[in-house]
Amino acid sequence: MSNPNKRPDMERITTPELAKAFIDEQIEALRAQIGGGKVLLALSGGVDSAVAAALLYRAVGEQLTCIFVDHGLLRKDEGDQVERAMHDCLGMRIVRVNAQERFLTKLAGISEPERKRKIIGEEFIRVFEEEARKLEGIRFLAQGTIYPDRIESLNITGKVIKSHHNVGGLPKEMNLQLCEPLKWLFKDEVRRVGRSMGMPEHLITRHPFPG
């Protein structure tokens, strides 16, 4: 039986031409998946979610709403920086949710990293579901999940290396359908795709905290 989490037989994106081909293919696939529905994107400010946001915006335009959850674990003033950078550079609608107290309360007294990741993952989903109920027609949750997230989280290698909150930390029951246009790409490929879409270098090389 084939492993559904194994990367498909696809050429590594090593040139601008391959990046453009991927962009065109994903725009078509996203339009087919989303149709006339509306989608929330989980925006962290890092390169993965930023590139996913840019792809989705090209595909479905104003059907996309980006949700930036400030969970209280960012660097000083980073929430303001992320919100400003993403809005100014990508020009799309961004809703900021200040949920610092909510996350920190859930994490209080927890020291085991894997359990923390599970708590964070579930709480993110619950925040997104709550925000979706405030908007009309939201059917999809988009994430900047990439292939290394899946390798580490989904037992592809025979064991879980660590759960990523956007993969292994997801709850079993969700009210939104997942949309993950980058899920088979490695980080270097994501950056090539971002550059091919003309995204600024400071977004392409940015790392959210904590990673």
Side-chain angles (χ1 to χ4, degrees):
M1 182 182 296
S2 62
N3 187 339
N5 296 316
K6 186 178 184 298
R7 175 173 158 129
D9 184 17
M10 58 184 284
E11 190 171 2
R12 284 292 298 267
I13 299 173
T14 56
T15 66
E17 292 76 20
L18 289 171
K20 182 182 184 304
F22 175 83
I23 292 165
D24 293 342
E25 177 184 284
Q26 282 303 309
I27 288 174
E28 184 177 339
L30 288 167
R31 287 173 178 166
Q33 179 186 7
I34 295 167
K38 294 183 180 179
V39 55
L40 289 183
L41 181 129
L43 189 67
S44 72
V47 59
D48 302 331
S49 63
V51 171
L55 262 176
L56 275 152
Y57 193 61
R58 285 197 180 190
V60 299
E62 297 304 315
Q63 292 167 243
L64 171 68
T65 297
C66 295
I67 302 291
F68 169 53
V69 178
D70 189 340
H71 43 61
L73 304 173
L74 299 169
R75 304 175 185 94
K76 186 179 187 306
D77 297 328
E78 188 170 27
D80 295 335
Q81 294 167 11
V82 168
E83 185 178 20
R84 185 166 54 250
M86 299 305 294
H87 181 270
D88 292 350
C89 294
L90 299 179
M92 58 192 68
R93 182 185 179 198
I94 298 174
V95 175
R96 178 173 176 173
V97 181
N98 293 310
Q100 297 94 329
E101 183 176 348
R102 175 175 180 164
F103 276 82
L104 295 177
T105 298
K106 290 277 187 179
L107 293 169
I110 306 298
S111 59
E112 204 277 309
E114 185 70 7
R115 191 177 170 200
K116 285 183 180 179
R117 286 188 281 266
K118 298 284 188 183
I119 290 171
I120 290 170
E122 172 145 7
E123 204 60 24
F124 265 125
I125 294 299
R126 300 311 172 210
V127 170
F128 294 131
E129 287 178 339
E130 290 167 16
E131 292 303 313
R133 285 193 288 269
K134 299 176 185 178
L135 302 169
E136 186 177 347
I138 299 292
R139 293 172 47 209
F140 298 91
L141 171 65
Q143 301 189 124
T145 305
I146 63 173
Y147 190 46
D149 299 341
R150 298 169 62 82
I151 292 174
E152 295 180 346
S153 302
L154 293 178
N155 210 17
I156 296 173
T157 58
K159 67 176 183 177
V160 174
I161 299 171
K162 74 171 185 178
S163 292
H164 289 254
H165 69 264
N166 57 329
V167 184
L170 294 178
K172 292 181 180 179
E173 295 185 6
M174 292 172 46
N175 296 324
L176 301 171
Q177 298 178 49
L178 276 181
C179 178
E180 298 175 313
L182 309 177
K183 68 180 181 180
W184 300 121
L185 300 193
F186 290 97
K187 182 76 75 173
D188 61 306
E189 296 176 295
V190 174
R191 291 196 170 104
R192 287 190 181 95
V193 168
R195 290 187 178 106
S196 289
M197 289 192 291
M199 295 176 65
E201 196 66 18
H202 71 271
L203 281 183
I204 295 296
T205 57
R206 190 179 180 282
H207 292 275
F209 180 83

